[in-house]
């Protein structure tokens, strides 16, 4: 039973001795420098740790229901795996108990036994104390058992000792570098025969616990001292060749807080495991978490995660370094999830169903965290690939991750009910062609379905920007503004980082196709106004292109979107730190996808728009519809929208031209943005009135080109847009979008700017007419 908590094989569940004993955080401050022999205060009512400067600590666990109780001895030393195996063998030989359970590890060993009553407890404590106090001399009968055990361990241990194994306390290949003489074994014995080198644990009813405490007190004074458990001088990274049939990446952190380490392991084995899997899915290799462990030590602790991936694909050192970087960031993130309390650690002792295991955990609890700790150290190792300098690869990865940080624009709105994040790219649909028009819209819709707890995601798509809006309130009075920002940013980052497949995309494709059910004239006009790039005018794409898009196309767009020049807008409802926290979380999620730098937006201009008249054969339902359109040189200013409103408003220019004359009705729309724009007028009329309706609308546009708007139409249009501006300011979506675009307010059109626009854009030579006939 090693002092470790482990998780293996996804979905992984935390199991093992210290996962149960150590899953919490230290409530009190770390011991002061030089402090000796004092374990952290006990929090659990069922656990008592009795300390004495001259005797081993005794952990007493009051528990009923077990048919037998248990008593255990934990030993801690600095001799490594060989010494642990030798000490376990020495005590096995000297005690000679068939029911004795022993297990060595790199930090020490423990022994435990079932007991039926107080007399058995006292006998174990007396016998094991005597075994520890008896010096090892030449001719000692136990020496042969010690040598045999060390020889077996040298063949069975999984790997040679390294910084990673030393951190997590793994039992490494225990081949001795010197003869196993009586003097060597005596040195090991002397290390643990000390007040802080050993601890007892007992589990059972009160009489049994009182007997254990009395028996330890009766052992008399023990020599002072215990393990030093030296703190590592520096972090390390090593790259080994290893088995070419698989890739392995391991990261371990040596931490000051033992309880915090096990709390992180427990979190990673539950909710954090799903998050870790999501983070790993953004990498090129299919990584699986094989182990999550937390090891309590006399000085601090170790938190470790091991990953593996098949070697079906080549993996450069940087790919393995990115996996190590993800692990490192997730481990540090997991350390923030728990509360500073040993209670969960101690509650884990009671969860061990076997009383021997519970006693061993309790004994190690009494030995843990007695010594002051140093700064966090990191140990990284990868195997299964060509050995390369891992440290330099990690340096490049960390530099790239910093370079991938998102620019952020923030605005404080304290007191608002929700925090709003808008993460978007100015590229929008610039890279789409006639064959994949709408892939951005489809991708964003599928990604928006990945909302987390208390988080709403929505696609945000315009001709000049594409991304996701995330929003959410606090989950309750205990959630801080910082935690709220972190949670919402995590949901947004996860949505963009995790791959899409057909199951994600198919429902959104059906929904989008339902919205694209438009007359044939509309699609013909789009093709004429924006040849080869219909989504520059209609970001949702075309019915034909969207119907052919698969999940693989959406996932490719997800990846390319993450590489574009994304920026983040934050409406912070709590405090200013929410912006920084959200940006940092999102950058962490997206860094692997942005590691090769930003992908610039496409600068393709596309063919020139067509003009003139297009006549098409149309279905019966489309007869009586005609489109009159005008391509615009730029849709960046407000003038096109003002003219469209003046034309299409109730009682406006089109109503006075067509409706009042009995020629039908019409509506006007502006499509597109800075790359390409168009004014589109859709006429609805009787088939026999088509020529007259077209002629009247074109004449109206020509008059506007010559004279612009009259004073009354200008005033009514201005009043409408002023009211719309006021209403938009009430909507956080609009405020977030304006912040993302730059936060400025567009200048209001003037009669002269409208006249200049009409004169340039609405001349009859620029008109496009799409008419349907049978």
């Amino acid at each position: 039973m090693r002092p470790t908590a482990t998780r293996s094989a996804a979905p992984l569940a935390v199991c093992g001795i210290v996962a149960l004993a150590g899953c919490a955080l230290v409530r009190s401050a770390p011991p002061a420098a030089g402090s000796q022999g004092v374990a952290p205060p006990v929090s659990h009512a069922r656990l008592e740790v009795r300390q004495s400067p001259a005797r081993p600590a005794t952990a007493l666990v009051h528990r009923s229901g077990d048919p037998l109780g248990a008593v255990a001895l934990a030993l801690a030393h600095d001799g490594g795996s060989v010494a642990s195996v030798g000490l376990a063998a020495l005590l096995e030989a000297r005690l000679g108990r068939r029911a004795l359970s022993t297990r060595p590890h790199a930090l020490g060993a423990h022994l435990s036994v079932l007991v039926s009553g107080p007399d058995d407890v006292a006998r174990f404590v007396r016998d094991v104390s005597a075994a520890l106090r008896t010096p090892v001399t030449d001719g000692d009968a136990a020496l042969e058992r010690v040598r045999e055990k060390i020889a077996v361990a040298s063949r069975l241990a999984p790997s040679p000792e390294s910084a990673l194994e030393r951190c997590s306390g793994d039992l490494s290949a225990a081949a001795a570098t010197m003869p196993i003489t009586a003097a060597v074994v005596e040195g090991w014995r002397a290390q643990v025969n000390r007040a802080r080198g050993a601890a007892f644990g007992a589990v059972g009813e009160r009489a049994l616990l009182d007997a254990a405490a009395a028996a330890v007190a009766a052992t008399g004074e023990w020599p002072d001292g215990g393990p030093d458990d030296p703190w590592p001088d520096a972090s390390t990274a090593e790259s080994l060749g290893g088995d070419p049939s698989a890739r392995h990446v391991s990261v371990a952190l040596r931490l000051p807080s033992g309880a915090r380490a096990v709390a992180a392991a427990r979190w990673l084995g539950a909710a954090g495991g799903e998050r870790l899997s999501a983070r790993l899915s953004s990498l090129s290799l299919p990584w699986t978490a094989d182990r999550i462990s937390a090891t309590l030590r006399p000085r601090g602790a170790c938190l470790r995660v091991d990953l593996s991936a098949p070697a079906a694909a080549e993996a450069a050192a940087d790919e393995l370094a990115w996996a190590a970087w993800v692990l490192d960031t997730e481990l540090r993130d997991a350390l923030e999830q728990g509360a500073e309390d040993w209670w969960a650690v101690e509650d884990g002792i009671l969860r061990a169903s076997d009383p021997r295991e519970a006693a061993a955990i309790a004994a190690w609890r009494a030995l843990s965290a007695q010594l002051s700790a140093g700064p966090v150290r990191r140990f990284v190792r990868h195997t299964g690939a060509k050995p390369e300098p891992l440290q330099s690869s990690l340096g490049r990865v960390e530099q790239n991750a910093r370079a991938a940080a998102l620019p952020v624009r923030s605005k404080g709105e304290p007191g608002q009910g929700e925090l709003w994040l808008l993460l978007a790219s100015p590229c929008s649909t610039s890279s789409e062609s006639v064959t994949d028009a709408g892939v951005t819209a489809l991708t964003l819709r599928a990604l928006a379905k990945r909302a987390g707890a208390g988080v709403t995601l929505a696609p945000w798509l315009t001709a000049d920007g594409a991304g996701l809006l995330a929003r959410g309130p606090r989950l309750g009075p205990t959630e801080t503004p910082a935690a709220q920002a972190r949670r919402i940013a995590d949901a947004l980052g996860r949505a963009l980082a995790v791959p899409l497949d057909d199951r994600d995309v198919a429902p959104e494709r059906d929904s989008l196709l339902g919205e694209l059910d438009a007359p044939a004239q509309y699609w013909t006009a789009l093709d004429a106004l924006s040849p080869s790039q219909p989504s520059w005018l209609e970001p949702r794409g075309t019915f034909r292109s969207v119907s052919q898009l698969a999940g693989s196309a959406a996932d490719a767009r997800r990846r390319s979107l993450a590489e574009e020049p994304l920026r983040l807008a934050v409406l912070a409802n709590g405090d200013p730190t929410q912006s920084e926290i959200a940006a940092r979380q999102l950058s962490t999620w997206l860094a692997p996808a942005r590691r090769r730098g930003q992908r610039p937006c496409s600068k393709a201009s596309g063919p020139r728009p067509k003009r003139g008249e297009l006549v098409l054969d149309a279905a019966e339902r489309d007869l009586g519809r005609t489109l009159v359109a005008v391509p615009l040189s730029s849709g960046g200013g407000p003038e096109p929208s003002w003219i469209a409103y003046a034309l299409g408003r109730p009682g406006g220019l089109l109503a006075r031209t067509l409706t009042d004359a009995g020629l039908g009705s019409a509506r006007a729309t502006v499509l597109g943005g800075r790359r390409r724009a168009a004014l589109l007028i859709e006429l609805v009329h009787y088939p026999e009135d088509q020529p007259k309706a077209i002629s009247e609308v074109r004449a109206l546009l020509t008059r506007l080109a010559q004279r612009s708007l009259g004073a009354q139409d200008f005033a009514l249009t201005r009043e409408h847009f002023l009211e719309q501006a006021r209403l938009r300011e009430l909507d956080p979506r609009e405020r977030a979008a304006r912040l993302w675009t730059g936060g400025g307010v567009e200048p209001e059109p003037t009669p002269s700017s409208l006249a200049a626009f009409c004169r340039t854009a609405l001349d009859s030579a620029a008109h496009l007419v799409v008419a349907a006939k049978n």
Side-chain angles (χ1 to χ4, degrees):
M1 251 173 245
R2 292 173 42 243
T4 6
T6 60
R7 178 187 132 158
S8 61
L12 306 175
V14 176
C15 60
I17 178 170
V18 175
L20 302 174
C23 293
L25 307 180
V26 180
R27 172 182 295 159
S28 56
S35 64
Q36 302 291 324
V38 180
V42 170
S43 299
H44 203 291
R46 291 281 175 175
L47 173 66
E48 177 186 1
V49 177
R50 297 191 181 181
Q51 303 277 0
S52 169
R55 294 176 182 82
T58 307
L60 307 174
V61 183
H62 188 196
R63 187 168 93 172
S64 302
D66 299 308
L68 295 172
V71 62
L73 171 72
L75 303 173
H77 59 78
D78 299 323
S81 296
V82 175
S84 296
V85 173
L87 285 167
L90 175 70
L91 293 175
E92 284 176 356
R94 288 184 168 180
L95 295 173
R97 289 173 177 246
R98 292 184 179 180
L100 183 70
S101 172
T102 64
R103 188 169 300 178
H105 48 81
L107 304 179
H110 74 260
L111 303 83
S112 58
V113 65
L114 293 172
V115 291
S116 59
D119 290 343
D120 285 347
V121 173
R123 187 178 306 113
F124 175 84
V125 173
R126 182 178 61 249
D127 291 350
V128 80
S129 299
L132 279 176
R133 287 180 169 179
T134 302
V136 180
T137 60
D138 291 334
D140 195 312
L143 278 176
E144 190 59 32
R145 179 72 175 271
V146 171
R147 295 185 181 109
E148 290 176 359
K149 285 282 189 176
I150 291 175
V152 171
S154 67
R155 295 193 299 270
L156 298 181
S159 62
E161 190 175 56
S162 68
L164 195 78
E165 272 71 35
R166 284 194 296 272
C167 180
S168 54
D170 286 23
L171 188 69
S172 58
T177 58
M178 78 290 285
I180 307 301
T181 64
V184 169
V185 180
E186 169 60 15
W188 297 340
R189 183 204 65 80
Q191 286 187 49
V192 295
N193 183 39
R194 295 179 179 274
R196 291 189 296 104
F200 289 92
V203 175
E205 298 287 0
R206 177 50 59 186
L208 189 150
L209 304 184
D210 290 343
V216 174
T219 61
E221 292 191 0
W222 291 52
D224 188 25
D228 182 58
D229 194 13
W231 200 259
D233 293 330
S235 299
T236 65
E238 56 183 341
S239 178
L240 307 176
D243 181 2
S245 65
R247 321 285 188 190
H248 300 278
V249 171
S250 300
V251 175
L253 299 178
R254 185 72 186 271
L255 302 165
S257 169
R260 182 179 290 276
V262 187
R266 177 170 286 179
W267 188 80
L268 286 167
E274 195 276 331
R275 174 192 161 99
L276 176 60
S277 297
R279 291 284 314 280
L280 293 172
S281 70
S282 67
L283 302 176
S284 59
L285 292 180
W287 292 104
T288 300
D290 298 322
R291 158 182 167 165
I292 295 174
S293 68
T295 303
L296 298 179
R297 304 178 59 116
R299 193 184 299 274
C302 181
L303 177 63
R304 173 176 169 176
V305 175
D306 296 346
L307 302 179
S308 66
E314 289 295 321
D318 277 4
E319 293 295 326
L320 303 180
W322 272 105
W325 180 84
V326 168
L327 273 188
D328 182 42
T329 57
E330 284 302 288
L331 290 183
R332 295 174 191 270
D333 185 87
L335 291 170
E336 301 178 9
Q337 301 305 314
E340 292 284 345
D341 194 342
W342 273 94
W343 186 90
V345 178
E346 296 149 0
D347 185 60
I349 297 173
L350 275 71
R351 296 188 194 184
S353 58
D354 189 324
R356 292 171 297 180
E357 182 180 13
I361 296 172
W364 191 262
R365 157 74 173 86
L367 280 176
S368 302
Q370 298 186 57
L371 304 172
S372 58
V376 174
R377 302 296 190 198
R378 182 183 69 181
F379 308 105
V380 183
R381 183 180 69 197
H382 73 56
T383 59
K386 181 180 178 181
E388 295 185 32
L390 180 58
Q391 190 62 57
S392 59
S393 298
L394 281 171
R396 287 195 301 272
V397 163
E398 289 166 350
Q399 183 178 2
N400 290 344
R402 288 191 295 270
L406 294 167
V408 58
R409 295 170 176 169
S410 62
K411 180 175 179 287
E413 295 188 347
Q416 290 287 331
E418 293 183 307
L419 171 73
W420 288 77
L421 307 178
L422 173 56
L423 180 65
S425 163
C427 300
S428 190
T429 61
S430 63
S431 62
E432 294 182 10
S433 67
V434 69
T435 57
D436 66 351
V439 67
T440 302
L442 181 61
T443 301
L444 293 177
R445 286 170 177 243
L447 295 178
K449 297 301 181 182
R450 295 174 162 177
V455 180
T456 300
L457 298 179
W460 184 74
L461 181 61
T462 71
D464 300 321
L468 288 172
L469 268 166
R471 62 183 175 88
R474 290 171 60 191
L475 292 181
T478 60
E479 184 176 50
T480 65
Q484 178 192 16
R486 172 193 174 86
R487 173 174 53 84
I488 296 172
D490 272 346
L492 181 53
R494 184 194 304 261
L496 276 167
V498 176
L500 289 167
D501 57 30
D502 282 328
R503 291 170 298 179
D504 302 310
V505 171
E508 302 311 310
R509 182 175 55 236
D510 293 342
S511 174
L512 184 54
L513 288 173
E515 297 177 14
L516 294 175
D517 185 17
Q521 294 93 320
Y522 181 74
W523 304 119
T524 302
L526 283 187
D527 183 61
L529 292 166
S530 185
S532 304
Q533 285 96 16
S535 60
W536 288 13
L537 292 179
E538 172 53 272
R540 296 175 299 173
T542 69
F543 190 93
R544 175 179 295 180
S545 63
V546 170
S547 65
Q548 298 172 356
L549 293 174
S552 57
D555 191 59
R557 182 64 185 107
R558 176 194 63 81
R559 295 194 303 270
S560 66
L561 180 65
E563 296 175 350
E564 290 176 0
L566 296 169
R567 61 177 180 262
L568 174 67
V570 181
L571 298 182
N573 71 330
D575 59 57
T577 63
Q578 289 178 306
S579 299
E580 179 185 348
I581 292 168
R584 183 172 63 248
Q585 289 298 114
L586 284 168
S587 296
T588 298
W589 276 99
L590 298 176
R594 297 164 65 80
R595 56 189 161 181
R596 284 178 283 272
Q598 290 186 11
R599 174 184 297 186
C601 299
S602 172
K603 295 182 179 180
S605 58
R608 294 174 59 85
K610 296 178 181 178
R611 292 171 170 81
E613 184 171 348
L614 299 175
V615 179
L616 66 152
D617 294 331
E620 188 68 29
R621 67 166 193 164
D622 294 336
L623 295 176
R625 295 178 181 270
T626 301
L627 291 177
V628 177
V630 178
L632 305 176
S633 58
S634 172
E639 283 79 6
S641 296
W642 278 49
I643 293 299
Y645 176 75
L647 286 167
R649 69 174 179 84
L653 298 174
L654 286 171
R656 300 200 298 268
T657 300
L658 295 179
T659 307
D660 292 354
L663 295 176
S665 61
R667 63 188 184 96
T669 309
V670 176
L671 302 179
R674 290 189 303 273
R675 293 179 185 88
R676 182 156 294 185
L679 173 65
L680 201 66
I681 301 173
E682 182 181 4
L683 313 181
V684 180
H685 49 71
Y686 290 112
E688 59 270 21
D689 291 331
Q690 183 186 71
K692 180 66 171 175
I694 294 172
S695 176
E696 290 294 333
V697 169
R698 294 194 64 187
L700 171 62
L701 295 178
T702 301
R703 289 195 298 274
L704 283 174
Q706 296 170 351
R707 299 194 294 269
S708 189
L709 292 181
Q712 184 178 10
D713 285 316
F714 178 87
L716 291 173
T717 300
R718 181 174 182 271
E719 181 181 349
H720 167 79
F721 279 97
L722 286 174
E723 178 63 19
Q724 289 299 305
R726 285 191 291 268
L727 293 176
R728 281 197 301 272
E729 282 301 300
L730 299 177
D731 188 349
R733 294 172 183 81
E734 293 290 337
R735 298 199 297 273
R738 193 178 72 177
L739 180 63
W740 183 87
T741 57
V745 178
E746 287 184 321
E748 182 180 292
T750 64
S752 60
S753 70
L754 283 174
F757 167 77
C758 292
R759 184 168 57 251
T760 302
L762 303 184
D763 185 77
S764 60
H767 298 179
L768 170 71
V769 177
V770 181
K773 295 182 180 179
N774 54 17

